[in-house]
Protein backbone atom coordinates (compact mmCIF):
# COMPACT_ATOMS: atom_id res chain seq x y z
CA UNK A 1 0.00 0.00 0.00
CA UNK A 2 0.91 3.63 -0.26
CA UNK A 3 -0.14 5.50 2.83
CA UNK A 4 -2.42 8.44 2.23
CA UNK A 5 -2.11 10.35 5.47
CA UNK A 6 -0.45 10.74 8.84
CA UNK A 7 -3.15 8.68 10.55
CA UNK A 8 -2.30 5.56 8.52
CA UNK A 9 1.39 6.04 9.30
CA UNK A 10 0.63 6.36 13.02
CA UNK A 11 -1.41 3.14 12.95
CA UNK A 12 1.35 1.22 11.16
CA UNK A 13 3.98 2.61 13.53
CA UNK A 14 2.00 1.52 16.57
CA UNK A 15 1.02 -1.85 15.07
CA UNK A 16 4.60 -2.54 13.97
CA UNK A 17 5.98 -1.72 17.38
CA UNK A 18 3.45 -3.94 19.12
CA UNK A 19 4.11 -6.78 16.69
CA UNK A 20 7.87 -6.51 17.29
CA UNK A 21 7.25 -6.91 21.02
CA UNK A 22 5.14 -10.02 20.37
CA UNK A 23 7.82 -11.59 18.19
CA UNK A 24 10.53 -10.74 20.69
CA UNK A 25 8.65 -12.50 23.48
CA UNK A 26 7.96 -15.53 21.31
CA UNK A 27 11.67 -15.70 20.40
CA UNK A 28 12.68 -15.58 24.07
CA UNK A 29 10.49 -18.63 24.61
CA UNK A 30 12.03 -20.65 21.77
CA UNK A 31 14.03 -22.92 24.08
CA UNK A 32 14.71 -26.65 24.20
CA UNK A 33 11.61 -28.72 24.91
CA UNK A 34 9.08 -26.06 23.96
CA UNK A 35 6.71 -27.13 21.18
CA UNK A 36 5.91 -25.14 18.09
CA UNK A 37 2.25 -25.25 19.15
CA UNK A 38 3.07 -23.65 22.49
CA UNK A 39 4.97 -20.89 20.69
CA UNK A 40 2.04 -20.29 18.37
CA UNK A 41 -0.43 -20.14 21.24
CA UNK A 42 1.78 -17.72 23.15
CA UNK A 43 2.16 -15.50 20.08
CA UNK A 44 -1.56 -15.54 19.37
CA UNK A 45 -2.49 -14.60 22.93
CA UNK A 46 0.10 -11.79 22.91
CA UNK A 47 -1.36 -10.46 19.64
CA UNK A 48 -4.85 -10.41 21.12
CA UNK A 49 -3.55 -8.73 24.30
CA UNK A 50 -1.93 -6.05 22.12
CA UNK A 51 -5.30 -5.17 20.64
CA UNK A 52 -4.51 -6.82 17.30
CA UNK A 53 -5.54 -9.89 15.33
CA UNK A 54 -3.35 -12.51 13.63
CA UNK A 55 -3.13 -11.73 9.91
CA UNK A 56 -1.89 -15.16 8.80
CA UNK A 57 -4.79 -17.10 10.31
CA UNK A 58 -7.22 -17.91 7.53
CA UNK A 59 -4.87 -16.56 4.85
CA UNK A 60 -5.47 -18.24 1.48
CA UNK A 61 -2.51 -18.85 -0.78
CA UNK A 62 -2.86 -19.94 -4.40
CA UNK A 63 -2.65 -23.71 -4.62
CA UNK A 64 -2.60 -24.30 -0.85
CA UNK A 65 -4.85 -27.17 0.29
CA UNK A 66 -6.43 -25.12 3.09
CA UNK A 67 -6.16 -21.61 4.56
CA UNK A 68 -3.20 -21.03 6.89
CA UNK A 69 -4.51 -22.26 10.27
CA UNK A 70 -2.34 -20.36 12.76
CA UNK A 71 -0.94 -17.03 13.93
CA UNK A 72 2.76 -17.91 13.70
CA UNK A 73 4.95 -19.65 11.11
CA UNK A 74 7.67 -21.79 12.73
CA UNK A 75 10.30 -23.13 10.33
CA UNK A 76 12.97 -25.46 11.73
CA UNK A 77 16.36 -26.16 10.07
CA UNK A 78 15.71 -27.27 6.45
CA UNK A 79 12.26 -25.67 6.63
CA UNK A 80 12.64 -22.26 4.98
CA UNK A 81 9.34 -20.47 5.70
CA UNK A 82 5.63 -21.03 6.38
CA UNK A 83 6.23 -23.99 8.72
CA UNK A 84 2.99 -25.08 10.41
CA UNK A 85 3.25 -25.03 14.22
CA UNK A 86 1.98 -28.60 14.55
CA UNK A 87 3.61 -29.45 17.89
CA UNK A 88 7.18 -30.50 17.23
CA UNK A 89 9.56 -30.04 20.20
CA UNK A 90 12.50 -27.67 19.76
CA UNK A 91 16.01 -29.06 20.38
CA UNK A 92 19.25 -27.29 21.22
CA UNK A 93 21.07 -26.48 18.00
CA UNK A 94 17.88 -26.09 15.95
CA UNK A 95 17.72 -23.02 13.70
CA UNK A 96 14.18 -21.75 14.13
CA UNK A 97 12.52 -19.10 11.99
CA UNK A 98 9.54 -17.31 13.53
CA UNK A 99 7.36 -15.24 11.18
CA UNK A 100 4.31 -13.30 12.30
CA UNK A 101 1.77 -10.80 11.00
CA UNK A 102 -0.83 -8.69 12.77
CA UNK A 103 -3.85 -6.56 11.93
CA UNK A 104 -3.98 -3.42 14.02
CA UNK A 105 -6.73 -0.86 13.49
CA UNK A 106 -7.35 -2.13 9.98
CA UNK A 107 -3.75 -2.31 8.71
CA UNK A 108 -1.17 -5.09 8.92
CA UNK A 109 2.58 -5.45 9.38
CA UNK A 110 4.78 -8.53 8.96
CA UNK A 111 8.08 -9.45 10.65
CA UNK A 112 10.33 -12.46 11.15
CA UNK A 113 13.58 -13.52 12.79
CA UNK A 114 15.61 -16.66 13.27
CA UNK A 115 17.09 -17.99 16.51
CA UNK A 116 19.54 -20.72 17.43
CA UNK A 117 17.91 -22.81 20.16
CA UNK A 118 20.21 -22.95 23.19
CA UNK A 119 21.98 -19.76 22.15
CA UNK A 120 25.47 -19.15 20.77
CA UNK A 121 26.62 -17.83 17.44
CA UNK A 122 25.60 -19.05 14.02
CA UNK A 123 27.11 -17.71 10.80
CA UNK A 124 24.04 -18.34 8.65
CA UNK A 125 21.76 -16.50 11.09
CA UNK A 126 24.16 -13.56 11.45
CA UNK A 127 24.66 -13.23 7.69
CA UNK A 128 20.95 -13.39 6.92
CA UNK A 129 20.25 -10.69 9.49
CA UNK A 130 23.00 -8.50 8.07
CA UNK A 131 21.68 -9.03 4.53
CA UNK A 132 18.32 -7.59 5.62
CA UNK A 133 20.12 -4.53 7.00
CA UNK A 134 22.02 -4.14 3.72
CA UNK A 135 18.73 -4.42 1.80
CA UNK A 136 17.11 -1.78 3.99
CA UNK A 137 20.08 0.53 3.37
CA UNK A 138 19.17 0.53 -0.36
CA UNK A 139 15.62 1.72 0.24
CA UNK A 140 14.61 5.26 -0.75
CA UNK A 141 12.05 6.84 -3.04
CA UNK A 142 13.28 6.36 -6.60
CA UNK A 143 15.30 3.21 -5.86
CA UNK A 144 14.40 -0.01 -7.67
CA UNK A 145 13.54 -3.39 -6.20
CA UNK A 146 16.63 -4.72 -7.99
CA UNK A 147 18.87 -2.45 -5.92
CA UNK A 148 17.69 -4.23 -2.78
CA UNK A 149 17.92 -7.71 -4.27
CA UNK A 150 21.37 -7.04 -5.66
CA UNK A 151 22.75 -5.90 -2.28
CA UNK A 152 21.25 -8.87 -0.43
CA UNK A 153 22.35 -11.46 -2.97
CA UNK A 154 25.86 -10.08 -3.33
CA UNK A 155 26.51 -10.17 0.40
CA UNK A 156 25.00 -13.62 1.09
CA UNK A 157 26.87 -15.10 -1.88
CA UNK A 158 30.13 -13.60 -0.67
CA UNK A 159 29.55 -15.28 2.69
CA UNK A 160 29.05 -18.60 0.92
CA UNK A 161 25.30 -18.96 1.42
CA UNK A 162 22.52 -19.85 -1.01
CA UNK A 163 19.88 -17.17 -1.68
CA UNK A 164 16.30 -18.43 -2.03
CA UNK A 165 14.80 -17.12 -5.27
CA UNK A 166 11.30 -18.49 -5.35
CA UNK A 167 10.01 -16.53 -2.35
CA UNK A 168 10.19 -12.76 -2.21
CA UNK A 169 9.50 -9.64 -0.17
CA UNK A 170 6.33 -7.70 -0.95
CA UNK A 171 4.09 -4.74 -0.44
CA UNK A 172 1.98 -4.95 2.72
CA UNK A 173 -0.49 -2.96 4.83
CA UNK A 174 -3.99 -3.44 3.48
CA UNK A 175 -3.35 -7.12 2.69
CA UNK A 176 -0.80 -9.73 3.83
CA UNK A 177 0.79 -9.70 0.37
CA UNK A 178 0.58 -6.81 -2.08
CA UNK A 179 2.57 -5.56 -5.04
CA UNK A 180 5.36 -4.87 -5.63
CA UNK A 181 7.39 -8.07 -5.32
CA UNK A 182 10.83 -7.48 -3.83
CA UNK A 183 13.16 -10.36 -4.76
CA UNK A 184 16.30 -11.06 -2.71
CA UNK A 185 18.34 -11.22 -5.91
CA UNK A 186 18.58 -9.10 -9.03
CA UNK A 187 20.30 -6.27 -10.80
CA UNK A 188 20.71 -2.65 -9.84
CA UNK A 189 18.26 -0.28 -11.52
CA UNK A 190 15.89 -3.09 -12.51
CA UNK A 191 12.41 -3.92 -11.24
CA UNK A 192 9.59 -1.85 -9.74
CA UNK A 193 10.45 1.62 -8.49
CA UNK A 194 9.90 2.44 -4.84
CA UNK A 195 7.85 5.53 -4.14
CA UNK A 196 7.58 7.74 -1.09
CA UNK A 197 5.09 6.42 1.53
CA UNK A 198 5.04 2.89 0.08
CA UNK A 199 4.85 0.12 2.72
CA UNK A 200 6.98 -2.93 1.95
CA UNK A 201 8.27 -6.03 3.74
CA UNK A 202 11.84 -7.14 2.97
CA UNK A 203 12.58 -10.75 3.82
CA UNK A 204 15.82 -12.45 2.78
CA UNK A 205 15.97 -16.25 3.09
CA UNK A 206 19.39 -17.91 2.96
CA UNK A 207 20.62 -21.50 3.10
CA UNK A 208 23.81 -23.33 4.03
CA UNK A 209 23.57 -25.07 0.65
CA UNK A 210 21.80 -24.43 -2.64
CA UNK A 211 19.10 -21.88 -3.41
CA UNK A 212 16.44 -24.36 -4.54
CA UNK A 213 13.31 -24.88 -2.45
CA UNK A 214 10.22 -27.07 -2.72
CA UNK A 215 6.82 -27.19 -1.07
CA UNK A 216 6.33 -30.02 1.42
CA UNK A 217 3.45 -32.48 1.37
CA UNK A 218 1.57 -30.41 3.96
CA UNK A 219 1.05 -27.80 1.23
CA UNK A 220 2.46 -24.90 3.27
CA UNK A 221 5.99 -25.56 4.51
CA UNK A 222 8.81 -24.62 2.11
CA UNK A 223 11.89 -26.87 2.37
CA UNK A 224 15.39 -26.65 0.92
CA UNK A 225 15.75 -29.20 -1.88
CA UNK A 226 19.17 -30.31 -0.60
CA UNK A 227 18.13 -30.56 3.07
CA UNK A 228 20.47 -27.74 4.08
CA UNK A 229 19.45 -25.46 6.93
CA UNK A 230 18.05 -22.01 6.28
CA UNK A 231 17.40 -18.69 8.01
CA UNK A 232 14.95 -15.83 7.44
CA UNK A 233 14.62 -12.24 8.69
CA UNK A 234 11.92 -9.72 7.83
CA UNK A 235 10.92 -6.15 8.56
CA UNK A 236 8.04 -3.98 7.41
CA UNK A 237 9.08 -0.45 6.53
CA UNK A 238 7.87 2.77 4.97
CA UNK A 239 9.80 4.21 2.04
CA UNK A 240 10.84 7.81 2.64
CA UNK A 241 12.49 10.42 0.38
CA UNK A 242 15.95 9.70 1.69
CA UNK A 243 15.66 6.15 3.05
CA UNK A 244 13.41 3.90 5.10
CA UNK A 245 11.65 3.99 8.43
CA UNK A 246 11.53 0.46 9.83
CA UNK A 247 8.17 -0.10 11.51
CA UNK A 248 8.63 -3.52 13.13
CA UNK A 249 11.14 -2.47 15.78
CA UNK A 250 10.74 -2.58 19.56
N1 LIG B 1 4.68 -13.85 6.59
C1 LIG B 1 4.78 -14.52 5.36
C2 LIG B 1 5.53 -13.58 4.52
O1 LIG B 1 6.42 -12.99 5.04
C3 LIG B 1 3.44 -14.89 4.84
C4 LIG B 1 2.80 -15.90 5.69
S1 LIG B 1 1.30 -16.29 5.05
C5 LIG B 1 0.93 -17.68 5.85
O2 LIG B 1 5.30 -13.32 3.38
F1 LIG B 1 -0.26 -17.92 5.50
F2 LIG B 1 1.79 -18.62 5.54
F3 LIG B 1 1.02 -17.47 7.13
CO1 LIG C 1 6.43 -12.70 7.14
CO1 LIG D 1 6.33 -11.12 4.35
Amino acid sequence: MIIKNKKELEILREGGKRLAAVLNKAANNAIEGVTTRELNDLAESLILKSGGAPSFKGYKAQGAPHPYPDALCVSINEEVVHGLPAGRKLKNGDIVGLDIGMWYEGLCTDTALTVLVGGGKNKLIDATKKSLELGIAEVRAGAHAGDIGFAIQKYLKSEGFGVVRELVGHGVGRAVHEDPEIPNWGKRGVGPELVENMIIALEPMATEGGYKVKLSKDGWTWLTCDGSRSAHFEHTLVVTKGGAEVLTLL
Side-chain angles (χ1 to χ4, degrees), residues 110 168-172 176-178 180-182 199-201 203 234:
D110 185 358
V168 295
H170 51 91
V172 65
V176 172
H177 289 141
E178 300 176 21
E181 289 194 347
I182 318 274
I199 308 295
I200 54 175
E203 49 179 315
E234 177 174 26

